[in-house]
Amino acid sequence: MARRPVTVFGGTGFLGRRVVRHLADQGFPVRAASRHPCRASPRADDGTVEPVQANVADDHSVAAAVAGAGAVVNAVSLYVERGTATFRAIHVDAAARVARQAQRAGVATLVHLSGIGADPASRSPYIRSRGEGEQAVRAAFPKAIMIRPAAMIGPDDAFLVPLARMLRRAPVFPLFGSGRTRLQPAYVEDVAAAIVRAMAGPGGVAYELGGGAVYSYRELVQLVARHVGRRPLLLPVPFPAWQVLALVAEQLPQPPIARNQVELMEHDTIADPGMPGFSTLEMTPLSAGQVLPLIVRSAEGSRPPRIAP
């Protein structure tokens, strides 16, 4: 019997397009659902991946995208609010819409992208929306699988690639606070592969996915600086000053920093060892240090080869 298709919302995004590829490599027929289906994977040419026009803000659009699907992955996320595209609209309302339509369509498996530290009681609008989104998804689809990655890294990421470019040019580099925040960056290819494996497991599980090593922010900056051949002066900058800078930056078409990023950097982002994670899925994740050669090449404008998970 032919496999039912898997619909991936956000299927042309940083994580989503990798999930699409991993699913296609495993022989699944995939619908890469997004507002811009023309950006779909080249695999669309061989019929394995079907680009689908879909808007998670519209019930009819979502219903059409999940009709007949055996599984749904919601990899849609927002980092800077613009107009009606708010954290609540995307992470809560749209997430609930996808979950409701998946439930109505009889979809067997729903995977929802969240993040480590998601907390419905947080003062941060971004972190709170992630926590409220999980609650909304669970209410509509009780057996949904939650994926909570740490900061995702890889070629063309929005974290280490810009960091490498700035470090190459700046003799002085500002740190978030004192630089002591602990991070456990996860390679995006590992996260994509973990999502595919999680789909084959039990429903209702929440996975916290941290990479192969934990770093302080200062250590991570120093590691990237070594890879680009620089030794900048690292200057601690208080978080309130970063909030002001981010507020101004968000007025730009492509802001280099956003307030939610500052808020996230005020808290450690480490996978809870007591929670299911990569080890539960029998995976050994790569560390930021192992992935950095790819990231540096990406920052230089070349297309690096992919490290297989």
Side-chain angles (χ1 to χ4, degrees):
M1 180 180 296
R3 284 176 164 176
R4 295 170 68 189
V6 179
T7 299
V8 180
F9 288 96
T12 60
F14 178 63
L15 172 64
R17 68 178 184 270
R18 286 159 166 113
V19 173
V20 166
R21 192 188 66 247
H22 279 266
L23 286 166
D25 288 347
Q26 293 293 320
F28 288 93
V30 188
R31 296 173 184 163
S34 73
R35 291 180 301 157
H36 306 287
C38 58
R39 301 175 185 170
S41 163
R43 292 292 295 269
D45 295 338
D46 64 14
T48 306
V49 177
E50 176 190 2
V52 174
Q53 173 79 39
N55 184 346
V56 292
D58 178 74
D59 274 297
H60 295 294
S61 176
V62 173
V66 303
V72 169
V73 178
N74 182 7
V76 176
S77 59
L78 182 74
Y79 295 99
V80 178
E81 295 181 308
R82 296 286 192 196
T84 58
T86 65
F87 295 139
R88 179 167 187 85
I90 300 302
H91 297 154
V92 184
D93 299 338
R97 181 174 296 109
V98 169
R100 283 196 306 270
Q101 294 298 341
Q103 183 75 14
R104 289 173 183 171
V107 170
T109 303
L110 172 64
V111 179
H112 174 72
L113 178 68
S114 183
I116 289 177
D119 180 3
S122 173
R123 291 179 298 174
S124 161
Y126 177 85
I127 297 172
R128 183 169 64 250
S129 71
R130 283 300 199 186
E132 291 175 343
E134 288 191 4
Q135 291 179 332
V137 169
R138 283 266 190 252
F141 200 113
K143 290 296 185 180
I145 297 168
M146 300 294 167
I147 299 293
R148 300 173 184 159
M152 289 184 287
I153 59 172
D156 72 338
D157 71 27
F159 182 24
L160 294 189
V161 168
L163 183 62
R165 289 174 178 159
M166 287 187 286
L167 285 168
R168 185 175 285 111
R169 297 191 301 264
V172 178
F173 188 84
L175 293 174
F176 286 105
S178 63
R180 295 179 182 174
T181 304
R182 295 189 304 152
L183 307 170
Q184 193 177 4
Y187 182 35
V188 64
E189 295 285 352
D190 286 340
V191 176
I195 287 174
V196 177
R197 291 197 181 197
M199 287 171 52
V205 180
Y207 295 90
E208 294 208 347
L209 304 179
V214 175
Y215 308 84
S216 71
Y217 182 64
R218 177 184 288 270
E219 290 170 340
L220 193 57
V221 170
Q222 291 171 330
L223 182 63
V224 176
R226 286 198 297 272
H227 273 77
V228 299
R230 296 290 187 270
R231 296 183 62 184
L233 173 65
L234 302 183
L235 179 66
V237 175
F239 281 104
W242 277 111
Q243 284 288 357
V244 174
L245 291 171
L247 178 62
V248 174
E250 286 179 7
Q251 310 312 309
L252 301 173
Q254 293 184 320
I257 185 70
R259 281 170 292 172
N260 73 286
Q261 291 173 293
V262 177
E263 291 161 355
L264 287 170
M265 288 301 301
E266 294 186 70
H267 307 278
D268 293 344
T269 309
I270 307 296
D272 183 345
M275 291 279 293
F278 279 119
S279 61
T280 311
L281 299 169
E282 299 183 342
M283 294 179 62
T284 302
L286 296 177
S287 68
Q290 291 173 293
V291 180
L292 263 176
L294 298 185
I295 292 171
V296 169
R297 289 183 61 184
S298 177
E300 293 169 347
S302 59
R303 184 181 296 275
R306 178 171 64 94
I307 293 181

